[in-house]
Amino acid sequence: MADHYEVLGVARDATTDEIKKAYRRLARQLHPDVNPGADASERFKSVTHAYDVLSDAKQRQQYDRGGQGGGGFDNGQFGNFGDIFETFFGGGGGGSRGPRSRRERGQDALLRVELDLDEVIFGTHRDIEVDTAVVCATCSGTCCQPGTAPVTCDICHGTGNIQRAVRSLLGNVMTSSPCGSCRGYGTIIATPCVTCQGQGRVRARRTVPVDIPAGVDTGLRLQMPGSGEAGPAGGPNGDLYLEMKVRHHDVFSRDGDDLLCTLEIPMTSAILGTTTSVSALDGDIDVELRAGVQSGEILTIKDRGVTKLRGTGRGDLRIGVQVVTPTKLDHKDRELIEAFAARHKVPAPSLSHFQQGLFAKLRDRFLG
């Protein structure tokens, strides 16, 4: 079998346009209606088959790897004549595709929804106000004034297409193009609806109820099928996409399904230990601090984080401890601290591994 690239006279790295131009040139020379010779007929078959293979990306890739590509051709066929006519004239091979429908799918819509962190824990309900296209209440999407209906186009007689005979090297060829009178619809709206101007839809505000699941995070998009814009002429609605944005919280931050926060305690509570109640996003929590707790320690409260978006259960609440050292001491307080230091013989300060402050220490323990 001859090499397809040699048959078309193109290089192996030829572009799709170069292959198409080469095929046009050879097809004009070798088509049986133009060149009735037996040799020309065989060459036309080879040219057509080579073009069928090389113009298809998958078949061309297979052929370049050493495969046949295209599976051969029947000696009783000259290929797809409709493709040849379309290549030459930009239209079909004379067949009418029928009128196109005025009904089209509406566009999708994208809205941003801002949530507080406490709404994310268990999910929430929102009524979203959407400025969108809705079906015209006057004509119910028919585009016609009530009591009227579309009439058949008297130019194309309802086909939506105009057929013309075009003279070419192959003889007279019938081409089809959309009717300019009805724009390919096959019908004309003689009395369009005055409310929607014959569009079948109008702009309006409507309320969309949304149940936002627990566990969503910033950037997540929820798809609501059929809640987007109504299509022209009563066509189906597009989809509505809601992009989540969780607002910053002054106390709590988030790491996946876990909640993070810092608990500041006085030096005396760190030394003696204590039990305290803190206000979480979903109620109060009793936190027990052992005697001698250090800054940077992490207390984990199970199942008090964010409800998992996929799966069951909740994340944890992780509390970083920060011991607050007093900065202002009266005379008596200072004497007590000095007596404590003298009694316990506090070791002198010494160098240790570098830490960029408490927050870096907490971050490393939170996230690592």
Side-chain angles (χ1 to χ4, degrees):
M1 179 181 291
D3 181 79
H4 290 335
Y5 293 99
E6 293 180 359
V7 169
L8 292 178
V10 296
R12 301 193 72 84
D13 59 351
T15 64
T16 303
D17 286 341
E18 290 173 341
I19 292 173
K20 190 173 184 178
K21 289 178 181 178
Y23 171 64
R24 283 182 175 179
R25 175 176 52 79
L26 293 172
R28 290 192 183 100
Q29 298 173 4
L30 302 173
H31 193 277
D33 289 344
V34 177
N35 192 338
D39 292 340
S41 176
E42 291 299 322
R43 284 194 61 194
F44 180 73
K45 294 176 187 179
S46 298
V47 167
T48 301
H49 178 59
Y51 176 72
D52 288 340
V53 173
L54 299 184
S55 62
D56 183 276
K58 292 184 179 179
Q59 292 191 53
R60 182 179 182 181
Q61 187 178 26
Q62 179 184 357
Y63 179 77
D64 289 341
R65 289 200 301 261
Q68 293 297 320
F73 55 84
D74 189 337
N75 288 334
Q77 294 181 352
F78 290 133
N80 189 333
F81 282 99
D83 291 342
I84 297 174
F85 294 139
E86 184 172 358
T87 300
F88 289 152
F89 306 111
S96 172
R97 296 188 179 93
R100 65 189 183 102
S101 174
R102 283 189 169 85
R103 287 171 52 87
E104 297 179 5
R105 182 182 182 274
Q107 290 185 335
D108 295 336
L110 174 64
L111 295 177
R112 174 174 289 183
V113 178
E114 294 192 354
L115 302 171
D116 291 325
L117 188 56
D118 56 346
E119 295 178 299
V120 173
I121 295 180
F122 298 111
T124 187
H125 176 85
R126 288 287 183 87
D127 290 324
I128 308 295
E129 293 290 329
V130 182
D131 184 7
T132 185
V134 299
V135 175
C136 175
T138 302
C139 68
S140 301
T142 65
C143 305
C144 302
Q145 191 67 12
T148 66
V151 296
T152 301
C153 175
D154 57 0
I155 302 298
C156 66
H157 305 291
T159 64
N161 298 279
I162 299 296
Q163 295 186 356
R164 297 181 177 86
V166 178
R167 294 183 62 83
S168 70
L169 294 174
L170 308 181
N172 289 337
V173 177
M174 296 298 296
T175 65
S176 178
S177 60
C179 174
S181 178
C182 65
R183 296 185 296 173
Y185 294 121
T187 59
I188 295 175
I189 299 177
T191 311
C193 173
V194 296
T195 302
C196 63
Q197 306 300 316
Q199 296 298 311
R201 59 180 183 170
V202 295
R203 302 299 300 183
R205 292 187 67 85
R206 61 187 178 94
T207 302
V208 179
V210 182
D211 288 320
I212 299 175
V216 299
D217 204 351
T218 296
L220 180 73
R221 289 186 178 182
L222 300 180
Q223 181 182 9
M224 302 188 65
S227 294
E229 292 194 348
N237 286 35
D239 297 339
L240 174 63
Y241 291 87
L242 301 177
E243 184 175 274
M244 302 294 109
K245 184 180 188 311
V246 181
R247 297 188 185 97
H248 170 77
H249 196 280
D250 292 335
V251 174
F252 295 94
S253 57
R254 182 176 176 181
D255 177 29
D257 295 324
D258 292 344
L259 292 176
L260 314 177
C261 66
T262 299
L263 178 63
E264 296 181 348
I265 61 173
M267 182 181 66
T268 53
S269 296
I271 295 173
L272 302 175
T274 186
T275 298
T276 184
S277 180
V278 296
S279 297
L281 292 173
D282 59 342
D284 294 340
I285 299 175
D286 291 331
V287 178
E288 183 176 351
L289 299 168
R290 64 174 181 84
V293 66
Q294 301 293 312
S295 285
E297 289 192 20
I298 305 298
L299 307 177
T300 300
I301 311 299
K302 292 291 186 180
D303 300 323
R304 295 303 293 268
V306 178
T307 301
K308 296 178 180 179
L309 179 62
R310 297 176 180 85
T312 58
R314 296 173 59 181
D316 300 331
L317 172 62
R318 289 185 277 161
I319 303 175
V321 176
Q322 180 181 1
V323 179
V324 180
T325 303
T327 57
K328 295 181 179 180
L329 300 175
D330 59 22
H331 180 69
K332 186 174 181 180
D333 290 337
R334 189 174 187 84
E335 286 182 346
L336 291 173
I337 296 297
E338 289 175 348
F340 176 84
R343 181 178 177 183
H344 290 274
K345 297 181 181 180
V346 178
S350 61
L351 293 176
S352 65
H353 180 70
F354 177 73
Q355 293 282 349
Q356 296 185 7
L358 172 70
F359 293 104
K361 189 175 181 181
L362 288 176
R363 178 196 62 204
D364 293 342
R365 294 195 179 185
F366 273 141
L367 305 179

